[in-house]
Amino acid sequence: MVEEERKYEVEPGFTVPDLSGCLPDGGRLVQQPAVKLTATYYDTPDLRLARAGVSLRHRVGDSKPWTVKLPADAPGVRHEISRSGKRGKPPTELVWLVTAYSRGVELTPAATVRTVRTVLELRDADDALLVELADDAVSVLDGKTVRSRFREVEIELKAAKRSLLDRVEADLVAAGAAAGGFTPKHVRALAAAAAGPADLPAVEGLPAEPTAADVVTRAVRDGVARILAHDPLVRLHAPVGDDDTAVHQMRVGCRRLRSDLRTFRALVDREWAGALRDELKWVAGVLGGARDAEVLRDRLRRTAGADPLAPLPSAAVELIDTTLADRQAAALAEVDAALRSDRYVALVEMLVHAAREPRLTEAASGPAADVLPRLVAKPWRRLAFGGSGVDGAADLTLDASDERWHAVRINGKKARYAVDAVAPVIGGGAAKLAKALSKVQNLLGEHQDAAVAAETWQGVLAEHPDDHELAVTVGRLVERERAAIRAARAEFAAAWERASAGQRTKWLP
C-alpha cells in the first residue's frame, strides 16, 4: 500500500485548530477516542534501516502488527506493508523485504515508543473519510522508564484530493505546527546514531568541470540506486506507476550498470568490474524470464485488440494468456528464490560498496570532456558499421532475417547506454544523439518484441495441435506481428539517418 502523509513537530501545549473550514459542503469532523499504542522498532546494530529512511516495527493492538515502511519517490509518500505475526519474531517476508538496506544483518529491537494517539477524521457529506489527523503524545521507553517525551501531528490523505491536504496543512502551520524536515518517531527515539547518512550515497549532480571519475562515480551510484530501490517492489510483485513494473526497472538497472562498466572499462579496475558485471548478468537473467512474460501478456492484449472490427475468439486468447500467466508465476518464483539467496545478499553488499567507493584507474582523473568521447566511439562504430558477422545499422535490409535485426538491436542498446552515460557532460551533439538513438532503439525493440511474440504464439499452438480455433487465432496473431515487423523496418532507415547525421556524431573521435 502507498500512503501519503505529512508530519509536523509541535510544542506540548499545541492546540489543533478548528478545521471545519477545510471541509466540503455537508462535511463533518469526527473525533475518535484516544488510544494507546506501543511500538517496537527493529534494526541492525548500526541502524542501517533508520539511516536509510526505512522502518520495521511491531505495534501492539494492530490487526496486522508488523509493518515495514519504505521510501517512495515523492516527499511524504511511502510504501507501507503490514503482515500478521507473533511478537518478538519479525515475519520472514518482511525481513527479506528490507534486504537492500539490512544487507542480511540480523534485525533486533532498537527502540520502543509508547504513543497516546487522538484521531480527528475529516469526512464528506457521504461520510467518506477524506483526511485523517493523528495527534500523538510520544514517550520513548528504556525498559519501563520513560527516557524522553515529544509530541507530533500527522495528516494522512485518504479519499480527498491533495488540495485538501494543503488547506489542512496551512491551518496547522498557522496554529504553530512546524512543517518540513520532520524526523520520524523511531529516529528521534534513537537520536544522533539514527540521523547519520545512509550507507548508500545519494546520486548527486556533476560539478561544473567534472573529471571522468566524477562521471563514472555518478553512473555507478545511479545504477545501484535504481537496482536497490526496486528490490522491495520486485519482492512484492508490485507495479511502478500505471504502465511499468518493478521487475522491468530492476532489470534495466542491472543491464545499464553492466553496460556502463563496459563503456568505462579503461577507467575502472578490471577484476572488480568483471566480478560485478558477472553477478549483475546473473540477476538480470533471472529477472528476464519474468519480464519476458510481462511483455508477452501485455502484447497479447494489444495485438488481439488491435482491430476492434475483427475481434479474435476470446477463449483462444484466454488460453494463450493462461499459458503465459503460468510461465510468469514460475518465473516470479525463480526471482523470489534468487533474491533470498546468499549469492544475492553478497551482491547487494558489493553494490553498496561499489556506490561508496568505485575502484577507478589513474586514467579516470582526466577531464571528462577529453576522456569520455573516445570510450563511446567503439560501441558507436560497432553499431554503425558492424563486425564479427553482425551487420551495421546502415546495412540492414528489409529482407534480412529477424536474427540479423536482433543482433543490431543488441549493439544499439550498448551504444545508446554509452551515449546516455556521457551526454550530461558532452551536451550538444551527444544529447541529440542520445535522443535519436532512443527512437532507433524503440523501433528495434518493437521489431524484436513482435518477432518473439509471433514465435511464442506458435509455440503455444504446438502444445495444443488439435485446437482448430486456437490455430486460426494464432495465425491471425502472427499475421499482425509480421505486419508490426514490416512497419518497424520501414521506419528504421529514416530513424538511422537522423541518428547518424554529422551534427549528432561529430563529437566522436
Side-chain angles (χ1 to χ4, degrees):
M1 181 181 74
V2 177
E3 65 169 18
E4 181 171 350
E5 62 185 20
R6 302 177 190 177
K7 297 191 177 186
Y8 311 87
E9 295 178 8
V10 297
E11 296 298 324
F14 175 81
T15 299
V16 175
D18 180 6
L19 299 176
S20 57
C22 300
L23 293 170
D25 291 342
R28 65 192 182 104
L29 300 174
V30 179
Q31 182 76 60
Q32 299 292 349
V35 296
K36 183 181 293 186
L37 305 168
T38 301
T40 301
Y41 290 84
Y42 284 67
D43 211 326
T44 62
D46 58 355
L47 305 181
R48 295 178 182 183
L49 303 190
R51 289 186 288 108
V54 174
S55 66
L56 167 59
R57 77 169 185 226
H58 178 277
R59 191 161 70 184
V60 176
D62 289 350
S63 59
K64 293 183 177 180
W66 289 98
T67 298
V68 163
K69 293 191 177 184
L70 302 166
D73 293 336
V77 179
R78 293 184 296 177
H79 300 283
E80 182 174 313
I81 305 94
S82 296
R83 297 290 186 267
S84 302
K86 295 181 180 180
R87 186 174 184 174
K89 183 175 176 58
T92 301
E93 178 189 357
L94 298 188
V95 173
W96 281 112
L97 194 60
V98 297
T99 299
Y101 307 95
S102 69
R103 309 200 297 283
V105 173
E106 184 181 4
L107 302 173
T108 56
T112 300
V113 300
R114 184 174 62 221
T115 301
V116 177
R117 169 168 291 181
T118 304
V119 170
L120 179 65
E121 299 174 343
L122 282 70
R123 294 181 174 271
D124 66 12
D126 297 322
D127 208 37
L129 180 58
L130 304 176
V131 170
E132 183 178 274
L133 181 149
D135 184 357
D136 292 344
V138 184
S139 301
V140 180
L141 303 181
D142 185 358
K144 295 183 178 180
T145 303
V146 176
R147 194 172 72 233
S148 62
R149 302 178 192 270
F150 58 89
R151 188 174 168 204
E152 65 183 37
V153 171
E154 169 188 310
I155 55 175
E156 183 175 347
L157 189 65
K158 296 295 186 178
K161 294 181 179 179
R162 193 171 288 110
S163 57
L164 178 56
L165 212 60
D166 294 338
R167 293 198 297 274
V168 174
E169 177 175 84
D171 283 4
L172 290 173
V173 171
F182 181 84
T183 304
K185 288 183 181 69
H186 67 295
V187 175
R188 293 183 70 174
L190 291 165
D199 287 349
L200 187 65
V203 181
E204 299 177 344
L206 294 169
E209 296 183 1
T211 64
D214 292 326
V215 176
V216 176
T217 298
R218 188 182 190 282
V220 171
R221 289 180 176 175
D222 185 64
V224 171
R226 188 173 195 169
I227 295 166
L228 297 186
H230 289 96
D231 167 306
L233 301 181
V234 168
R235 296 174 191 271
L236 292 168
H237 302 170
V240 179
D242 295 331
D243 57 357
D244 203 356
T245 68
V247 166
H248 177 219
Q249 286 300 317
M250 187 174 180
R251 186 177 185 227
V252 168
C254 292
R255 297 174 76 174
R256 186 176 286 271
L257 181 52
R258 286 192 76 239
S259 179
D260 287 343
L261 291 171
R262 179 177 54 243
T263 298
F264 298 131
R265 59 185 172 274
L267 310 178
V268 296
D269 179 84
R270 183 180 296 273
E271 184 176 350
W272 169 80
L276 192 52
R277 290 188 73 245
D278 287 345
E279 294 306 283
L280 289 169
K281 181 179 181 180
W282 163 64
V283 174
V286 172
L287 293 167
R291 176 55 184 165
D292 290 346
E294 288 177 353
V295 171
L296 285 166
R297 294 187 73 189
D298 180 65
R299 190 167 191 96
L300 175 63
R301 289 187 288 270
R302 289 188 289 113
T303 304
D307 186 353
L309 299 180
L312 302 183
S314 59
V317 173
E318 182 64 26
L319 189 155
I320 298 172
D321 185 62
T322 299
T323 301
L324 296 176
D326 290 343
R327 294 180 188 178
Q328 184 177 15
L332 287 172
E334 291 184 13
V335 171
D336 293 341
L339 296 192
R340 291 189 176 203
S341 68
D342 291 342
R343 181 178 181 180
Y344 179 76
V345 173
L347 172 58
V348 172
E349 190 74 30
M350 290 173 65
L351 290 171
V352 172
H353 284 287
R356 292 168 68 175
E357 295 184 20
R359 298 184 189 178
L360 308 178
T361 66
E362 182 62 29
S365 61
D370 295 339
V371 174
L372 299 181
R374 64 176 179 268
L375 301 181
V376 181
K378 184 174 180 179
W380 167 256
R381 285 195 298 268
R382 189 180 297 116
L383 168 62
F385 307 114
S388 301
V390 177
D391 292 327
D395 299 324
L396 281 175
T397 61
L398 293 176
D399 61 351
S401 67
D402 291 345
E403 290 74 20
R404 296 181 75 147
W405 279 78
H406 179 49
V408 173
R409 174 179 176 263
I410 293 173
N411 284 340
K413 189 179 291 287
K414 293 175 182 177
R416 178 190 170 191
Y417 283 165
V419 175
D420 281 347
V422 306
V425 175
I426 307 300
K432 292 178 181 178
L433 179 57
K435 184 176 181 179
L437 282 178
S438 178
K439 173 65 174 177
V440 168
Q441 196 60 28
N442 286 343
L443 289 171
L444 292 171
E446 167 65 9
H447 184 288
Q448 176 65 6
D449 287 349
V452 170
E455 184 177 343
T456 300
W457 313 150
Q458 292 169 323
V460 174
L461 176 59
E463 297 174 9
H464 305 273
D466 298 326
D467 191 327
H468 176 71
E469 185 178 66
L470 178 63
V472 173
T473 301
V474 166
R476 294 172 68 185
L477 284 170
V478 170
E479 183 178 285
R480 292 177 183 182
E481 300 297 1
R482 296 312 304 181
I485 288 172
R486 290 192 297 273
R489 293 187 180 199
E491 290 185 52
F492 182 78
W496 175 249
E497 185 176 357
R498 286 192 296 273
S500 57
Q503 72 269 27
R504 293 183 174 86
T505 60
K506 62 183 180 182
W507 59 278
L508 290 164

